[in-house]
Amino acid sequence: MPQQIIYALQFSGQAIPQNDQGTVLKATTHAPSSSITSVVKQGVDAQIQTVEGGVAQFSSTVEFLTDNTFTESGTITFGQGNSLRFGTVGQGAIGPSPEEGVSHGVVSWRLIKGTGVFENARGFITSNFTVGAEGEVTDNQFGVIYLM
């Protein structure tokens, strides 16, 4: 029977243009081990706290299809030799946020290949992210991974 792993991490880093048109970006981010708490009250009270442990590394290539849609592929590494390679399911969406100079977007990825403890892994990851005027990225990821 497959083992299910669920993770939620907040990555931060940079997105840097790779061509003159700005239609291809290289995103490089990292996420410390963390604990996320969500308490439902009159709405929701949520906190993300760094906890003892390692750091996940993220690297991707983003290719814009239009001003507001894109595809993305890349790798997330959870410790040396343990990585997930992913690609976009359909296309991602991005647009202005209510915050001045910040774009807000969402994308879903399908796992393509895993290494180390993730060899033969299957699953999906969702990303809800912001990008600032200087390319600063905050990426909130939620993954459901099956180890086969």
Side-chain angles (χ1 to χ4, degrees):
M1 181 157 185
Q3 176 189 356
Q4 185 186 70
I5 296 174
I6 297 173
Y7 81 86
L9 288 170
Q10 185 175 72
F11 289 77
S12 60
Q14 286 291 128
I16 300 169
Q18 299 297 294
N19 63 7
D20 291 339
Q21 299 79 24
T23 58
V24 178
L25 303 176
K26 174 76 170 178
T28 306
T29 62
H30 66 280
S33 295
S34 59
S35 174
I36 299 175
T37 306
S38 299
V39 178
V40 178
K41 295 180 176 182
Q42 294 294 335
V44 65
D45 181 21
Q47 295 180 359
I48 300 174
Q49 295 179 313
T50 300
V51 297
E52 190 173 324
V55 175
Q57 303 291 332
F58 176 94
S59 177
S60 74
T61 300
V62 177
E63 297 184 37
F64 281 89
L65 306 172
T66 68
D67 288 346
N68 299 105
T69 62
F70 63 92
T71 60
E72 185 173 17
S73 61
T75 303
I76 307 168
T77 303
F78 298 89
Q80 191 168 348
N82 303 298
S83 66
L84 297 169
R85 197 171 84 203
F86 62 85
T88 306
V89 176
Q91 58 191 19
I94 189 170
S97 79
E99 190 176 348
E100 182 78 27
V102 176
S103 295
H104 183 200
V106 63
V107 63
S108 293
W109 304 308
R110 176 187 314 274
L111 300 184
I112 297 169
K113 182 179 180 177
T115 64
V117 298
F118 298 116
E119 190 170 342
N120 299 317
R122 297 184 189 155
F124 294 92
I125 302 167
T126 57
S127 166
N128 195 314
F129 63 91
T130 59
V131 181
E134 302 299 318
E136 59 277 19
V137 174
T138 300
D139 177 13
N140 297 288
Q141 292 183 13
F142 187 85
V144 178
I145 301 162
Y146 289 92
L147 302 181
M148 307 305 286

